[in-house]
Amino acid sequence: MKRVLFYLAKMADASATVRVKKIPDNLYEVCLTNLVNYLQRSKCERNDLRSLPDSILMDVYYKMLQEKRLCILGAELSELDIFERLLRFSGAQLRLLQCFQAVIEHGSKLSVELASGYLARCDTNTKSRNSLIQLGLRLGGFLNEAGWYADAQRVLLRCRDLCQAQPQTTHYKRLTLECCHRLLNTQSAYCCFPAAAETYTLALKLLGLPDDAAAKLPDGPIAIAETCSKALQTDDEEQQSRLDPCPEEWCGGGGGGGCGAWGMSALLARLCKEFSALFFVRCDYSAAHAWSMRALSLLTPHTPAKITIEVLRACGKACVVKRRFSEAGLLVRQGVALARAAFGPAHPRYAAALLDYGFYLLNIDSITHSVAVYEEALSTLRRVFGRSSLHVATAQEDLAYALYVLEYSSGRFYKARDHAERAIRIIENLVPPDHLLLASAKRVKALILEEIALDTPAGQDMREPSLLEESESLHKAALELSMMAFGEKNVQTAKHYGNLGRLYQSMQKFQDAETMHLKAIAIKEELLGAEDYEVGLSVGHLASLYNYHMNMHRAAEKLYLRSISISLKLFGERYSGLEYDYRGLVHVFTQLKRHDRAHHYNALLQHWHDLREQSKAEQQPALGDEQVLPLEQLQAKFFADND
């Protein structure tokens, strides 16, 4: 045993070049395999592993994963001192994520054990406050990236309290902001909106920024950074910074910026990105866009790639929901290209960028390409996180909805249904039954079940009524969760009203359907404006109800024309949704005996079909072919008017 460890350590001491030339990979792998098998039989000698360098130790643990020695791997990773070593080792992250998730899927409560171990260590006061804060930031950040948000929040809240319990020097204020950055990411992803609002308020207070996304800030990243730095300053700042310099990895000060203006600019960019993400999940898209643009303006050539990618992703998603598609395409493609270059195609951060790209493609009506991108993202996430992770559930839900849209005309919804049901099962196993994360997945399944029921020939399948009833139950559950989280005046709540309106139309509850559609339209118009895509969607659904089921053809005509106007303005004459509006108008004018107008819209419908056939031959840029613009050129496209 000790001899094997000795040779492994000698291998670790050899430079990478020497190892490549003189140490065959198969010999190294054989040593690792034999060591793992020996440890499985002689568990009492595991303490000898502590003497190995971090790189070799990580190789040993990864070999345990490959050899399915998950019990002993779980026992090793549950020791907080060992896990802290691996968190500090920069080359371990992706493999550590895989080991961590595999142990949890094997039945371990590793996430809870590590979080509880950290809280216990804080209570015992056996470590210095600075070391506890450093560990809290690293552990909380890791748990967040792994998708174990509840435990990440426990760690980060205690870490924040430790920071605030210290003398409020600039050093500890910056560390509090680091906690705020990670906490906002966790709380937004886990839909902890009241807690996220508190974190947001604390961060703004520390930065001296107004609680108004539209308020003007000083021009230029350095000017903004200096303004916020002054808000953090205390009388003993200079002395404290000499005593307790802030590690570069926290400030993001890449090229030697440390805690200076460049480092502060990177920290601010991350915080503004998290502000944007919070407002995005709360459906306040104007504020989300404003904060994301601030984050983009704060990027510099010194900003680490990870931060740049996160900001580009936030900006791209915000531009999508603001219907600024040319800007969104530029940003999300840049984010995908940078993520692939920085992390490689097997990393979950690349998969996250792909999910944003799929979201963009779905919204510009490039459905087939969107499905392909979502499938690649899901495959990547499964390789890292297995099949029981909130990250995987999110990707399956996104893919399910894209497949639902893709197969809307064909009626082949069973693959979409399978992904939606898998997403729901994962989420139900990982969160409380009343958690908002279930709302969206249930909404997608409800939409799919409704279409399956409608496409089933009468009398062929006696389950049809139960499918509609199950769909209604899912829609109502999603609406209730949305009301609890957001209240009625929210875009997500309005979407659930609209979905219920469509379902009630299918169930021949026409008055209930009209009520739901009118509620959806009123909320969307108030929040988004009269010309938004979401408004046009609900207007078109109400037009269909009036046209086909309530014989209100003149009212339907006005609504169809309004829906068409919005669609043409936002998407152009190839937009897929125009088919239903054109068909609806043909039916309206046929019923009104206005055959000339019916013929006109029949011609428009045929022209639309021709355009759609042409668009099938057009290709989106292949993944890997994206052009990366220099940061200055990218920013100039967005901020040239402000120079």
Side-chain angles (χ1 to χ4, degrees):
M1 168 68 174
K2 293 186 181 296
R3 183 170 295 181
V4 172
L5 292 175
F6 171 78
Y7 283 118
L8 285 173
K10 293 291 287 182
M11 291 179 191
D13 291 337
S15 68
T17 303
V18 171
R19 283 186 58 185
V20 167
K21 291 181 178 178
K22 295 188 176 181
I23 303 174
D25 287 341
N26 59 342
L27 177 58
Y28 183 61
E29 291 295 318
V30 167
C31 287
L32 290 174
T33 301
N34 288 336
L35 174 59
V36 167
N37 290 334
Y38 179 82
L39 290 170
Q40 180 70 18
R41 297 191 302 268
S42 307
K43 298 177 183 179
C44 59
E45 296 192 37
R46 289 205 326 261
N47 287 334
D48 292 333
L49 291 176
R50 310 303 186 265
S51 62
L52 290 174
D54 293 341
S55 59
I56 300 294
L57 187 63
M58 188 65 244
D59 288 344
V60 172
Y61 291 151
Y62 194 68
K63 179 58 67 173
M64 290 180 182
L65 171 66
Q66 293 175 320
E67 297 293 324
K68 307 297 183 184
R69 308 298 190 185
L70 298 179
C71 290
I72 187 173
L73 177 59
E76 287 290 302
L77 295 184
S78 65
E79 295 191 26
L80 191 55
D81 287 333
I82 292 293
F83 207 84
E84 182 177 9
R85 280 183 61 185
L86 299 176
L87 289 175
R88 290 176 176 272
F89 175 43
S90 60
Q93 187 198 46
L94 181 56
R95 290 180 296 164
L96 184 57
L97 281 170
Q98 292 173 296
C99 292
F100 178 87
Q101 187 64 29
V103 166
I104 289 179
E105 289 196 3
H106 189 61
S108 167
K109 300 292 185 182
L110 182 57
S111 179
V112 175
E113 291 173 9
L114 290 171
S116 299
Y118 174 75
L119 299 183
R121 181 174 291 187
C122 292
D123 291 337
T124 58
N125 293 318
T126 57
K127 300 282 186 177
S128 71
R129 286 290 182 261
N130 271 354
S131 64
L132 288 172
I133 291 170
Q134 292 177 33
L135 174 57
L137 289 171
R138 292 189 176 96
L139 179 60
F142 176 87
L143 294 175
N144 174 60
E145 187 153 12
W148 295 92
Y149 301 119
D151 294 315
Q153 183 174 227
R154 291 170 62 205
V155 170
L156 291 169
L157 285 173
R158 178 61 66 90
C159 185
R160 182 201 63 187
D161 292 344
L162 287 174
C163 292
Q164 292 191 289
Q166 308 311 305
Q168 288 304 285
T169 61
T170 302
H171 174 72
Y172 285 111
K173 287 182 180 180
R174 286 189 185 228
L175 294 183
T176 303
L177 286 173
E178 287 289 344
C179 284
C180 289
H181 161 248
R182 289 161 173 78
L183 265 175
L184 277 172
N185 191 289
T186 298
Q187 292 164 338
S188 297
Y190 205 52
C191 306
C192 302
F193 298 129
E198 293 179 7
T199 305
Y200 171 72
T201 300
L202 173 61
L204 289 178
K205 180 181 178 181
L206 289 170
L207 293 169
L209 294 178
D211 186 9
D212 181 4
K216 182 171 177 57
L217 295 181
D219 292 331
I222 300 304
I224 300 173
E226 289 177 347
T227 298
C228 294
S229 292
K230 290 179 181 178
L232 295 174
Q233 284 178 3
T234 57
D235 293 338
D236 59 348
E237 177 193 13
E238 183 177 352
Q239 176 184 0
Q240 184 68 30
S241 64
R242 287 198 303 266
L243 292 174
D244 296 305
C246 189
E248 281 185 10
E249 66 187 270
W250 299 354
C251 288
C259 287
W262 296 119
M264 190 63 195
S265 176
L267 175 57
L268 276 172
R270 283 184 288 157
L271 284 164
C272 289
K273 176 264 172 185
E274 296 304 339
F275 298 162
S276 173
L278 173 61
F279 283 105
F280 185 92
V281 294
R282 284 166 45 176
C283 304
D284 188 342
Y285 298 136
S286 294
H289 181 264
W291 279 117
S292 72
M293 288 297 111
R294 282 185 176 180
L296 181 61
S297 72
L298 286 161
L299 298 180
T300 74
H302 301 268
T303 307
K306 175 185 174 183
I307 300 173
T308 300
I309 293 163
E310 290 178 353
V311 170
L312 291 174
R313 290 180 52 214
C315 291
K317 290 175 65 177
C319 285
V320 168
V321 293
K322 294 295 287 183
R323 308 302 162 190
R324 301 182 179 185
F325 293 121
S326 61
E327 297 174 2
L330 177 65
L331 290 161
V332 296
R333 289 191 181 98
Q334 185 102 344
V336 167
L338 288 176
R340 187 191 310 106
F343 303 114
H347 202 285
R349 290 176 189 159
Y350 175 63
L354 287 180
L355 291 178
D356 295 338
Y357 188 32
F359 177 68
Y360 160 74
L361 291 170
L362 187 66
N363 277 270
I364 64 168
D365 211 32
S366 185
I367 313 301
T368 303
H369 296 102
S370 175
V371 168
V373 169
Y374 278 136
E375 286 177 335
E376 181 172 345
L378 175 59
S379 177
T380 299
L381 290 171
R382 277 178 169 171
R383 285 194 295 270
V384 177
F385 296 111
R387 296 178 179 269
S388 182
S389 161
L390 289 178
H391 293 311
V392 172
T394 298
Q396 290 204 295
E397 178 195 325
D398 290 342
L399 177 56
Y401 184 73
L403 287 167
Y404 159 77
V405 176
L406 178 67
E407 303 295 353
Y408 193 82
S409 299
S410 71
R412 296 188 295 267
F413 294 112
Y414 293 97
K415 188 176 179 182
R417 179 179 182 177
D418 179 62
H419 283 294
E421 290 176 342
R422 286 173 183 267
I424 291 173
R425 285 197 297 270
I426 293 171
I427 297 171
E428 285 179 337
N429 286 332
L430 298 178
V431 303
D434 60 346
H435 200 282
L436 184 63
L437 286 175
L438 281 166
S440 182
K442 287 183 175 181
R443 175 187 72 90
V444 173
K445 182 181 177 182
L447 292 171
I448 294 167
L449 291 182
E450 179 184 350
E451 294 305 319
I452 293 174
L454 294 177
D455 289 342
T456 303
Q460 178 174 317
D461 191 341
M462 296 303 294
R463 295 184 305 137
E464 179 183 343
S466 66
L467 286 177
L468 291 177
E469 290 165 4
E470 183 180 356
S471 180
E472 180 182 17
S473 176
L474 289 166
H475 276 314
K476 284 184 173 180
L479 174 62
E480 183 180 356
L481 291 172
S482 183
M483 290 282 284
M484 289 169 55
F486 302 118
E488 186 169 62
K489 294 298 179 68
N490 184 272
V491 174
Q492 289 300 324
T493 304
K495 287 182 179 181
H496 294 309
Y497 278 138
N499 291 331
L500 274 171
R502 294 179 62 196
L503 177 64
Y504 288 146
Q505 183 176 349
S506 301
M507 298 175 76
Q508 301 183 24
K509 299 179 179 180
F510 302 130
Q511 294 298 327
D512 291 339
E514 181 184 28
T515 299
M516 293 295 106
H517 284 316
L518 290 172
K519 279 186 176 183
I521 292 170
I523 294 171
K524 290 178 179 180
E525 284 183 332
E526 180 180 346
L527 297 177
L528 302 174
E531 299 299 312
D532 189 81
Y533 157 76
E534 284 289 343
V535 175
L537 200 63
S538 291
V539 164
H541 292 154
L542 182 59
S544 173
L545 174 67
Y546 286 165
N547 181 20
Y548 295 107
H549 298 290
M550 298 184 74
N551 294 318
M552 298 171 61
H553 296 111
R554 296 192 184 279
E557 175 190 356
K558 294 179 181 179
L559 292 171
Y560 277 131
L561 291 174
R562 183 182 174 191
S563 177
I564 289 171
S565 174
I566 293 173
S567 296
L568 289 173
K569 179 180 178 182
L570 292 175
F571 304 108
E573 57 185 355
R574 298 186 182 190
Y575 175 54
S576 60
L578 288 169
E579 177 184 12
Y580 309 104
D581 291 341
Y582 288 150
R583 289 188 186 280
L585 282 174
V586 170
H587 184 268
V588 163
F589 289 123
T590 299
Q591 296 299 310
L592 294 175
K593 310 299 183 186
R594 295 172 61 184
H595 299 295
D596 58 330
R597 301 303 295 161
H599 177 74
H600 171 71
Y601 282 102
N602 249 327
L604 282 179
L605 182 59
Q606 184 57 51
H607 178 61
W608 174 87
H609 276 295
D610 294 340
L611 292 174
R612 293 292 292 182
E613 286 300 316
Q614 294 174 20
S615 66
K616 288 181 181 179
E618 298 175 0
Q619 298 291 322
Q620 289 287 334
L623 288 175
D625 292 345
E626 300 87 3
Q627 180 182 4
V628 178
L629 293 177
L631 179 62
E632 296 85 349
Q633 289 185 28
L634 182 69
Q635 290 173 320
K637 291 180 178 292
F638 290 88
F639 307 117
D641 294 339
N642 298 327
D643 290 343

